[in-house]
Amino acid sequence: MIEVTDIHKSFDKLQVIKGVSLSIHDGEMLAIVGPSGAGKTTLLQIVGTLERADSGSVKFDGEEITGLKDSKLARFRNRNMGFVFQFHQLLPEFSLEENVALPALIGGTKRSEAFSHARKLLDELGLGNRLDHRPSQLSGGERQRAAVARALVNDPKVILADEPTGSLDSHNREELYKLFFDLRDATGKTFIIVTHDDTFALKADRVIHMKDGLIV
């Protein structure tokens, strides 16, 4: 589904990715692990088109996306990628329903359809009674489930998560990972997850180990 070939990336004089190649399969639950500074998050951001590589290629379903202009890349990302971050990144001034509907609205979905789908997802994730709540009124686990709903609202092919359980306690960590596997099994979506959680990594379909900007 995703083909990464000989990716290099530097920030100023610091070389973060040093020639990484990787194939990611449709419906795969892939874990990327390694010490801090290994390049995991940068690789995830390049695969998710949030960051551009200095050189190399990223193909999605056979389509070369590396050279797309910013506007086309933004549309591609909105349509095909869903993101879950360590600190949820929900907008504090918006309700849960508004936060989840936002990517759909940005993608051009009619307001009524976007909010209807947001409500449906939040209900399925056990947050149907929290629609009008602001993020500050929710627990950590609830905020991350809301972030998952937001990632799903445009029905993307790929969910990318960067340390999604890093701010959660053990119970909510287990609940979130169970949710990921349940969603993968129900929808066939591809999940790419950067994590320090060895317990989750052991459950993933495949584990990629990174160190010093390389897959080891």
Side-chain angles (χ1 to χ4, degrees), residues 6-20 37-40 42-43 46 53-56 210-214:
D6 198 25
I7 289 293
H8 291 75
K9 179 67 178 179
S10 296
F11 295 99
D12 295 324
K13 295 182 180 181
L14 178 62
Q15 192 173 12
V16 180
I17 303 291
K18 304 174 182 178
V20 166
K40 307 182 299 298
T42 301
L43 178 61
I46 290 171
D54 296 332
S55 63
M210 291 192 69
K211 183 179 180 181
D212 297 330
L214 293 166

Side-chain angles (χ1 to χ4, degrees), residues 5 16 27 29 33 36 55 72 81 84 86 89 93 100 119 160 165 173 182 189 203:
T5 305
V16 180
M29 181 73 74
V33 303
S36 297
S55 63
K72 289 186 176 180
M81 307 283 190
V84 182
Q86 179 174 350
Q89 305 294 345
E93 66 271 26
V100 173
R119 288 192 295 271
L160 302 101
T165 62
R173 187 161 56 241
D182 288 346
K189 295 185 188 302
K203 298 177 182 177

Side-chain angles (χ1 to χ4, degrees), residues 73-146:
L73 198 61
R75 286 195 293 271
F76 171 87
R77 183 167 55 244
N78 180 264
R79 190 170 59 248
N80 293 287
M81 307 283 190
F83 297 90
V84 182
F85 302 98
Q86 179 174 350
F87 296 106
H88 61 77
Q89 305 294 345
L90 299 172
L91 298 174
E93 66 271 26
F94 292 143
S95 70
L96 216 55
E97 184 180 15
E98 290 167 335
N99 267 286
V100 173
L102 192 57
L105 295 171
I106 291 171
T109 302
K110 290 182 180 179
R111 183 178 177 84
S112 59
E113 293 178 11
F115 277 85
S116 175
H117 194 196
R119 288 192 295 271
K120 181 175 182 292
L121 284 168
L122 286 166
D123 189 55
E124 289 174 352
L125 296 181
L127 295 169
N129 61 342
R130 298 283 197 271
L131 299 179
D132 295 327
H133 285 59
R134 298 291 191 269
S136 61
Q137 297 173 297
L138 305 175
S139 70
E142 288 173 330
R143 286 194 290 265
Q144 279 300 61
R145 275 186 280 149

